[in-house]
Amino acid sequence: MAAHSSCRVQMDTLEQLPAQIMTMMTNDTEAFVRRAAIGLVESLVQDRHHRARILLGSVAGSRSRPAVLIEPAHGNELRDGVHRRLMPADLKRCCVDEDLEVRIQSVHLLLAVFGSIDEMEAMDDLASHPFFVADGDVLLESMMLDFSRLVRIEAIRAAVQLRSLHTSAPPSGGKRTRLDGTRLAAFMGRLAVLDVGEMLRRCEPEHLYQEALDMDASVLDEMHEAGEGNNILTCYDC
């Protein structure tokens, strides 16, 4: 965290630092560097001072300054001259990274981008929230089906956390009613019906072992004669 705090201080004087960090989180050849960069971006997104500077679009919810989507012009810059922000493509690329620890860290970044229910309720155009601009709902749901059980567990826990945020926030001034029928409401509706206990149980190693033991023996039947199809052992041809 000391490194994260130091980086936030540097950002006030070094405008290109966010662009460098976000390039590392998607393009660096070392997985541990990508993980660290994602963790740093997560920390910055959670910081109110830097949140709007990092995320694409508006998260302020101001009616006098409606959210405007900013598309990249070229390289690491945007049309308005502001240095590179976190783009939807960045999040999507992190969520499908080949390294499972990077994908786990990406789940935490999705939570940070989501922010709070109050923040979303304050927006006139919920579709312009960075979480939905990046299809964060789709990404999180797909990560609950990740081939790595560790990623699935983290994504399921994130879903539980988001679900609790929604259920614990009392409606105020009719805002919750205004959000009915929105993408947020649909997303929370899907999370509400998840059988979390069963999903987590199916991620347990013992369950996976039992699935292997209960496997239909017919899948082991060979469909080809020796020397054909999958039965070709090229190492024996030497």
Side-chain angles (χ1 to χ4, degrees), residues 75-93:
N76 288 335
E77 295 188 348
L78 304 175
R79 284 199 191 99
D80 59 359
V82 179
H83 287 289
R84 184 177 188 271
R85 298 190 187 188
L86 183 64
M87 305 297 292
D90 296 327
L91 267 177
K92 293 176 182 178
R93 186 168 178 178

Side-chain angles (χ1 to χ4, degrees), residues 132-217:
F132 292 115
V133 171
D135 290 330
D137 50 344
V138 177
L139 291 174
L140 185 60
E141 288 175 306
S142 67
M143 296 179 85
M144 286 190 279
L145 303 175
D146 193 275
F147 60 84
S148 167
R149 72 178 186 88
L150 298 179
V151 177
R152 294 199 303 274
I153 290 173
E154 207 64 33
I156 294 168
R157 288 173 176 169
V160 172
Q161 184 173 337
L162 292 180
R163 189 167 67 178
S164 65
L165 284 177
H166 185 253
T167 55
S168 63
S172 58
K175 291 180 179 178
R176 184 60 53 80
T177 303
R178 182 170 63 83
L179 292 179
D180 289 346
T182 64
R183 187 170 177 179
L184 173 62
F187 178 46
M188 289 301 168
R190 295 194 299 273
L191 296 185
V193 298
L194 291 178
D195 187 346
V196 174
E198 175 62 16
M199 294 173 72
L200 289 175
R201 188 185 71 81
R202 295 178 69 87
C203 292
E204 296 174 356
E206 293 79 6
H207 176 80
L208 300 178
Y209 296 149
Q210 191 60 47
E211 277 191 343
L213 293 174
D214 295 341
M215 182 177 58
D216 186 351

Side-chain angles (χ1 to χ4, degrees), residues 2 22 32 44 58 94 130 146 170 190 206 213 220-221 223 234:
M22 283 181 275
F32 75 89
L44 294 173
S58 171
C94 291
D146 193 275
R190 295 194 299 273
E206 293 79 6
L213 293 174
L220 301 177
D221 294 342
M223 305 300 294
T234 54

Side-chain angles (χ1 to χ4, degrees), residues 21-73:
I21 295 170
M22 283 181 275
T23 297
M24 286 162 41
M25 68 185 270
T26 55
N27 295 333
D28 198 276
T29 57
E30 295 290 345
F32 75 89
V33 174
R34 299 197 300 275
R35 292 197 299 269
I38 294 172
L40 180 51
V41 172
E42 175 198 350
S43 176
L44 294 173
V45 167
Q46 292 172 328
D47 186 296
R48 175 175 294 184
H49 178 63
H50 295 298
R51 182 171 175 83
R53 297 169 61 183
I54 292 291
L55 294 179
L56 175 70
S58 171
V59 293
S62 171
R63 286 179 168 79
S64 61
R65 297 180 59 191
V68 177
L69 300 188
I70 307 172
E71 297 297 338

Side-chain angles (χ1 to χ4, degrees), residues 1 6 20 93:
M1 286 304 295
S6 174
Q20 297 170 357
R93 186 168 178 178

